[in-house]
PDB file of all heavy atoms in Angstrom:
ATOM      1  N   GLU A 212      11.964  -3.693 -27.095  1.00  0.00           N
ATOM      2  CA  GLU A 212      12.594  -4.759 -26.297  1.00  0.00           C
ATOM      3  C   GLU A 212      14.060  -4.481 -26.041  1.00  0.00           C
ATOM      4  O   GLU A 212      14.535  -4.558 -24.920  1.00  0.00           O
ATOM      5  CB  GLU A 212      12.477  -6.122 -27.007  1.00  0.00           C
ATOM      6  CG  GLU A 212      11.100  -6.740 -26.999  1.00  0.00           C
ATOM      7  CD  GLU A 212      10.328  -6.378 -28.245  1.00  0.00           C
ATOM      8  OE1 GLU A 212      10.842  -5.558 -29.032  1.00  0.00           O
ATOM      9  OE2 GLU A 212       9.215  -6.902 -28.433  1.00  0.00           O
ATOM     10  N   THR A 213      14.771  -4.147 -27.128  1.00  0.00           N
ATOM     11  CA  THR A 213      16.214  -4.073 -26.986  1.00  0.00           C
ATOM     12  C   THR A 213      16.664  -2.824 -26.260  1.00  0.00           C
ATOM     13  O   THR A 213      17.738  -2.779 -25.687  1.00  0.00           O
ATOM     14  CB  THR A 213      16.855  -4.117 -28.380  1.00  0.00           C
ATOM     15  OG1 THR A 213      16.095  -3.269 -29.237  1.00  0.00           O
ATOM     16  CG2 THR A 213      16.856  -5.515 -28.922  1.00  0.00           C
ATOM     17  N   GLU A 214      15.833  -1.790 -26.240  1.00  0.00           N
ATOM     18  CA  GLU A 214      16.289  -0.533 -25.638  1.00  0.00           C
ATOM     19  C   GLU A 214      15.916  -0.429 -24.171  1.00  0.00           C
ATOM     20  O   GLU A 214      16.753  -0.162 -23.324  1.00  0.00           O
ATOM     21  CB  GLU A 214      15.632   0.630 -26.361  1.00  0.00           C
ATOM     22  CG  GLU A 214      16.462   1.282 -27.405  1.00  0.00           C
ATOM     23  CD  GLU A 214      15.641   2.368 -28.051  1.00  0.00           C
ATOM     24  OE1 GLU A 214      15.423   3.408 -27.418  1.00  0.00           O
ATOM     25  OE2 GLU A 214      15.192   2.143 -29.177  1.00  0.00           O
ATOM     26  N   VAL A 215      14.638  -0.587 -23.889  1.00  0.00           N
ATOM     27  CA  VAL A 215      14.196  -0.368 -22.513  1.00  0.00           C
ATOM     28  C   VAL A 215      13.529  -1.620 -21.957  1.00  0.00           C
ATOM     29  O   VAL A 215      12.678  -1.523 -21.071  1.00  0.00           O
ATOM     30  CB  VAL A 215      13.234   0.840 -22.387  1.00  0.00           C
ATOM     31  CG1 VAL A 215      13.989   2.117 -22.516  1.00  0.00           C
ATOM     32  CG2 VAL A 215      12.122   0.746 -23.394  1.00  0.00           C
ATOM     33  N   ALA A 216      13.934  -2.771 -22.440  1.00  0.00           N
ATOM     34  CA  ALA A 216      13.485  -4.031 -21.864  1.00  0.00           C
ATOM     35  C   ALA A 216      11.988  -4.081 -21.653  1.00  0.00           C
ATOM     36  O   ALA A 216      11.481  -4.106 -20.542  1.00  0.00           O
ATOM     37  CB  ALA A 216      14.210  -4.293 -20.546  1.00  0.00           C
ATOM     38  N   GLU A 217      11.221  -4.015 -22.780  1.00  0.00           N
ATOM     39  CA  GLU A 217       9.762  -4.161 -22.736  1.00  0.00           C
ATOM     40  C   GLU A 217       9.036  -2.954 -22.171  1.00  0.00           C
ATOM     41  O   GLU A 217       7.825  -2.963 -22.041  1.00  0.00           O
ATOM     42  CB  GLU A 217       9.341  -5.415 -21.961  1.00  0.00           C
ATOM     43  CG  GLU A 217       9.621  -6.711 -22.697  1.00  0.00           C
ATOM     44  CD  GLU A 217       8.491  -7.120 -23.625  1.00  0.00           C
ATOM     45  OE1 GLU A 217       7.352  -6.758 -23.358  1.00  0.00           O
ATOM     46  OE2 GLU A 217       8.778  -7.789 -24.626  1.00  0.00           O
ATOM     47  N   GLY A 218       9.745  -1.910 -21.778  1.00  0.00           N
ATOM     48  CA  GLY A 218       9.109  -0.657 -21.368  1.00  0.00           C
ATOM     49  C   GLY A 218       8.053  -0.835 -20.300  1.00  0.00           C
ATOM     50  O   GLY A 218       8.342  -1.358 -19.223  1.00  0.00           O
ATOM     51  N   PRO A 219       6.807  -0.440 -20.585  1.00  0.00           N
ATOM     52  CA  PRO A 219       5.761  -0.468 -19.545  1.00  0.00           C
ATOM     53  C   PRO A 219       5.562  -1.862 -18.953  1.00  0.00           C
ATOM     54  O   PRO A 219       5.142  -1.986 -17.809  1.00  0.00           O
ATOM     55  CB  PRO A 219       4.508  -0.035 -20.294  1.00  0.00           C
ATOM     56  CG  PRO A 219       4.970   0.623 -21.516  1.00  0.00           C
ATOM     57  CD  PRO A 219       6.297   0.088 -21.847  1.00  0.00           C
ATOM     58  N   MET A 220       5.850  -2.877 -19.721  1.00  0.00           N
ATOM     59  CA  MET A 220       5.568  -4.241 -19.262  1.00  0.00           C
ATOM     60  C   MET A 220       6.762  -4.863 -18.525  1.00  0.00           C
ATOM     61  O   MET A 220       6.736  -6.049 -18.204  1.00  0.00           O
ATOM     62  CB  MET A 220       5.203  -5.123 -20.456  1.00  0.00           C
ATOM     63  CG  MET A 220       3.943  -4.718 -21.184  1.00  0.00           C
ATOM     64  SD  MET A 220       2.494  -4.875 -20.151  1.00  0.00           S
ATOM     65  CE  MET A 220       2.126  -3.167 -19.822  1.00  0.00           C
ATOM     66  N   ALA A 221       7.794  -4.038 -18.281  1.00  0.00           N
ATOM     67  CA  ALA A 221       9.047  -4.608 -17.763  1.00  0.00           C
ATOM     68  C   ALA A 221       8.854  -5.450 -16.514  1.00  0.00           C
ATOM     69  O   ALA A 221       9.462  -6.500 -16.361  1.00  0.00           O
ATOM     70  CB  ALA A 221      10.035  -3.483 -17.493  1.00  0.00           C
ATOM     71  N   GLU A 222       7.998  -5.014 -15.607  1.00  0.00           N
ATOM     72  CA  GLU A 222       7.895  -5.693 -14.315  1.00  0.00           C
ATOM     73  C   GLU A 222       6.764  -6.715 -14.266  1.00  0.00           C
ATOM     74  O   GLU A 222       6.570  -7.348 -13.241  1.00  0.00           O
ATOM     75  CB  GLU A 222       7.695  -4.669 -13.197  1.00  0.00           C
ATOM     76  CG  GLU A 222       8.856  -3.708 -13.009  1.00  0.00           C
ATOM     77  CD  GLU A 222      10.099  -4.418 -12.528  1.00  0.00           C
ATOM     78  OE1 GLU A 222       9.961  -5.461 -11.850  1.00  0.00           O
ATOM     79  OE2 GLU A 222      11.201  -3.943 -12.839  1.00  0.00           O
ATOM     80  N   TYR A 223       6.008  -6.810 -15.342  1.00  0.00           N
ATOM     81  CA  TYR A 223       4.843  -7.690 -15.272  1.00  0.00           C
ATOM     82  C   TYR A 223       5.221  -9.129 -15.588  1.00  0.00           C
ATOM     83  O   TYR A 223       6.064  -9.393 -16.441  1.00  0.00           O
ATOM     84  CB  TYR A 223       3.739  -7.217 -16.220  1.00  0.00           C
ATOM     85  CG  TYR A 223       2.912  -6.126 -15.606  1.00  0.00           C
ATOM     86  CD1 TYR A 223       3.077  -4.800 -15.962  1.00  0.00           C
ATOM     87  CD2 TYR A 223       1.981  -6.438 -14.631  1.00  0.00           C
ATOM     88  CE1 TYR A 223       2.335  -3.805 -15.370  1.00  0.00           C
ATOM     89  CE2 TYR A 223       1.231  -5.443 -14.042  1.00  0.00           C
ATOM     90  CZ  TYR A 223       1.408  -4.136 -14.413  1.00  0.00           C
ATOM     91  OH  TYR A 223       0.664  -3.166 -13.823  1.00  0.00           O
ATOM     92  N   SER A 224       4.595 -10.050 -14.868  1.00  0.00           N
ATOM     93  CA  SER A 224       4.867 -11.461 -15.099  1.00  0.00           C
ATOM     94  C   SER A 224       3.600 -12.239 -14.770  1.00  0.00           C
ATOM     95  O   SER A 224       2.641 -11.678 -14.236  1.00  0.00           O
ATOM     96  CB  SER A 224       6.015 -11.917 -14.204  1.00  0.00           C
ATOM     97  OG  SER A 224       5.710 -11.579 -12.867  1.00  0.00           O
ATOM     98  N   GLY A 225       3.605 -13.502 -15.132  1.00  0.00           N
ATOM     99  CA  GLY A 225       2.502 -14.379 -14.757  1.00  0.00           C
ATOM    100  C   GLY A 225       1.161 -13.911 -15.267  1.00  0.00           C
ATOM    101  O   GLY A 225       1.050 -13.370 -16.356  1.00  0.00           O
ATOM    102  N   ARG A 226       0.126 -14.076 -14.437  1.00  0.00           N
ATOM    103  CA  ARG A 226      -1.208 -13.834 -14.963  1.00  0.00           C
ATOM    104  C   ARG A 226      -1.477 -12.349 -15.200  1.00  0.00           C
ATOM    105  O   ARG A 226      -2.292 -12.005 -16.057  1.00  0.00           O
ATOM    106  CB  ARG A 226      -2.271 -14.445 -14.057  1.00  0.00           C
ATOM    107  CG  ARG A 226      -2.240 -14.003 -12.653  1.00  0.00           C
ATOM    108  CD  ARG A 226      -3.343 -14.660 -11.854  1.00  0.00           C
ATOM    109  NE  ARG A 226      -3.350 -14.055 -10.538  1.00  0.00           N
ATOM    110  CZ  ARG A 226      -2.475 -14.344  -9.600  1.00  0.00           C
ATOM    111  NH1 ARG A 226      -1.555 -15.261  -9.804  1.00  0.00           N
ATOM    112  NH2 ARG A 226      -2.501 -13.730  -8.440  1.00  0.00           N
ATOM    113  N   HIS A 227      -0.765 -11.466 -14.482  1.00  0.00           N
ATOM    114  CA  HIS A 227      -0.947 -10.043 -14.785  1.00  0.00           C
ATOM    115  C   HIS A 227      -0.511  -9.735 -16.215  1.00  0.00           C
ATOM    116  O   HIS A 227      -1.180  -9.012 -16.952  1.00  0.00           O
ATOM    117  CB  HIS A 227      -0.148  -9.194 -13.801  1.00  0.00           C
ATOM    118  CG  HIS A 227      -0.675  -9.279 -12.401  1.00  0.00           C
ATOM    119  ND1 HIS A 227       0.058  -9.765 -11.357  1.00  0.00           N
ATOM    120  CD2 HIS A 227      -1.874  -8.964 -11.891  1.00  0.00           C
ATOM    121  CE1 HIS A 227      -0.663  -9.748 -10.260  1.00  0.00           C
ATOM    122  NE2 HIS A 227      -1.855  -9.271 -10.554  1.00  0.00           N
TER     123      HIS A 227
END
Side-chain angles (χ1 to χ4, degrees):
Chain A
E212 287 93 354
T213 43
E214 262 178 73
V215 286
E217 288 273 332
M220 297 296 107
E222 296 294 332
Y223 277 103
S224 53
R226 56 179 187 283
H227 293 118

